[in-house]
Amino acid sequence: MLKPNQTKTLKFLKRLVIAITLVVSVSTTSGDRYYSSASSYSFTPSTTAIGEWSRARATYYAAIDPRDEIGGACGYGDLKQNGYGMATVGLSSSLFNRGQICGACFELRCVDDLKYCIPGTSIILTATNYCAPNYGLFTPPTPASGNVDDDDDGTIDSGSGSDADNVGGLCNPPNKHFVLPIEAFEKIAIWKASNMPVQYRRIKCRREGGIRYTINGSGFFYSVLITNVAGVGDVTAVKIKGSKTGWLPMGRNWGQNWHINADLKNQPLSFEVTASNGVTITSYNVAPKDWQIGQTFNGKQFDS
């Protein structure tokens, strides 16, 4: 017959075994799923990471008008029509890099909130917009005032160590902040969470088909919108070539709109695109001799 102290020890050991079993069960299922940028949000193992996990925060917006799906600081226009769907995100200044980041893909997962996080999930998002700072709420982060990121979550604190009383606008520098459509946010957290701590990392983008070039402009001024870029996703340099010209460098107008002043009429057009990882891809004679303003053409694609 067990003594009282032995009985207590036995009960403790049983509880410990149950707790360890639960932890092992959770750890073998968490982190092995993600929601892709496709509208179906299908599950697939994520094996294309090109960055380490970092801390940030995320909020959402609820579209109240179909026109909210059109536009954005990257210039992609109709996000659904151009293949990005609702798995998109606006970035704070600390991440947006003046538009160069447009087209890059991020994996986000909710952390540190057992009440609102959906365990074992993450979501893949494409950078398509900018979350502007609100300097009317800005308080400079200084150690003397306690306004520092002392819990290392990508957001400055008010000195208490809690982001519930965050200083300044959510997208003010140096905050790392993501703003998602509510449809995407609800894949990783319950909507009541609102401003959530998250982890993020850059991953390779998976795209169907080739890089798309949409030609706009008039006269000798041409603007080319570049979309559907696989690999690292963001573009750092573009060149264009007509059959009567050499390779001409284009300038970034805004987002992923690139412009040039040149006489390119009645010439087949070729493009050379360089991504942020330094890889360059060349697509010859993408647009035929009789191309027209407003048309979109497909070229070669980066590996993903």
Side-chain angles (χ1 to χ4, degrees):
M1 184 173 179
L2 294 174
K3 295 180 179 179
N5 60 338
Q6 291 177 322
T7 302
K8 291 181 180 180
T9 301
L10 183 60
K11 288 182 179 180
F12 171 77
L13 290 174
K14 286 182 178 179
R15 291 173 182 171
L16 182 62
V17 170
I18 292 172
I20 293 174
T21 302
L22 290 172
V23 169
V24 171
S25 175
V26 171
S27 65
T28 56
T29 58
S30 63
D32 62 350
R33 301 187 292 172
Y34 77 81
Y35 292 96
S36 74
S37 58
S39 58
S40 60
Y41 297 105
S42 57
F43 291 110
T44 310
S46 177
T47 58
T48 56
I50 55 177
E52 299 297 325
W53 288 106
S54 300
R55 298 178 69 84
R57 296 189 75 86
T59 49
Y60 65 84
Y61 68 90
I64 59 175
D65 189 297
R67 290 173 295 182
D68 292 340
E69 299 170 7
I70 300 176
C74 292
Y76 289 133
D78 190 316
L79 296 176
K80 287 188 175 180
Q81 181 178 322
N82 285 321
Y84 296 109
M86 296 302 291
T88 58
V89 65
L91 306 178
S92 62
S93 299
S94 298
L95 297 167
F96 192 65
N97 197 17
R98 298 186 177 182
Q100 181 179 309
I101 200 68
C102 290
C105 294
F106 293 86
E107 182 176 11
L108 264 68
R109 63 188 183 189
C110 181
V111 295
D112 300 337
D113 195 322
L114 299 179
K115 183 177 180 180
Y116 293 118
C117 290
I118 300 176
T121 63
S122 63
I123 188 170
I124 305 302
L125 304 165
T126 300
T128 62
N129 211 340
Y130 174 50
C131 179
N134 184 346
Y135 290 109
L137 300 176
F138 181 70
T139 301
T142 62
S145 66
N147 298 327
V148 294
D149 182 17
D150 48 26
D151 56 0
D152 192 31
D153 69 346
T155 305
I156 56 176
D157 310 308
S158 67
S160 65
S162 169
D163 291 305
D165 47 5
N166 170 258
V167 174
L170 295 175
C171 291
N172 284 11
N175 295 348
K176 295 179 180 179
H177 199 85
F178 294 80
V179 183
L180 291 63
I182 190 171
E183 293 88 345
F185 186 90
E186 288 187 314
K187 302 301 178 182
I188 59 172
I190 299 171
W191 67 271
K192 290 183 179 179
S194 184
N195 183 16
M196 283 294 298
V198 296
Q199 290 181 337
Y200 73 95
R201 64 179 176 179
R202 283 283 300 273
I203 69 163
K204 285 188 175 181
C205 301
R206 299 173 183 176
R207 306 293 185 207
E208 294 183 4
I211 298 175
R212 299 183 191 130
Y213 304 89
T214 302
I215 305 173
N216 290 296
S218 61
F220 292 148
F221 176 83
Y222 298 103
S223 175
V224 178
L225 172 62
I226 299 178
T227 58
N228 203 53
V229 180
V232 293
D234 53 338
V235 175
T236 58
V238 179
K239 292 182 180 179
I240 189 170
K241 181 183 181 301
S243 58
K244 301 176 183 178
T245 74
W247 284 104
L248 306 173
M250 303 186 75
R252 188 191 300 274
N253 195 327
W254 58 289
Q256 288 300 352
N257 283 277
W258 297 77
H259 68 274
I260 191 170
N261 287 290
D263 184 4
L264 297 170
K265 293 179 180 178
N266 301 315
Q267 302 175 57
L269 301 179
S270 303
F271 293 93
E272 181 181 283
V273 174
T274 302
S276 62
N277 60 354
V279 177
T280 297
I281 194 168
T282 304
S283 300
Y284 291 98
N285 301 321
V286 170
K289 180 180 180 179
D290 58 349
W291 59 267
Q292 299 293 320
I293 295 294
Q295 290 182 315
T296 300
F297 303 95
N298 293 328
K300 293 181 179 180
Q301 184 61 277
F302 291 108
D303 293 334
S304 58

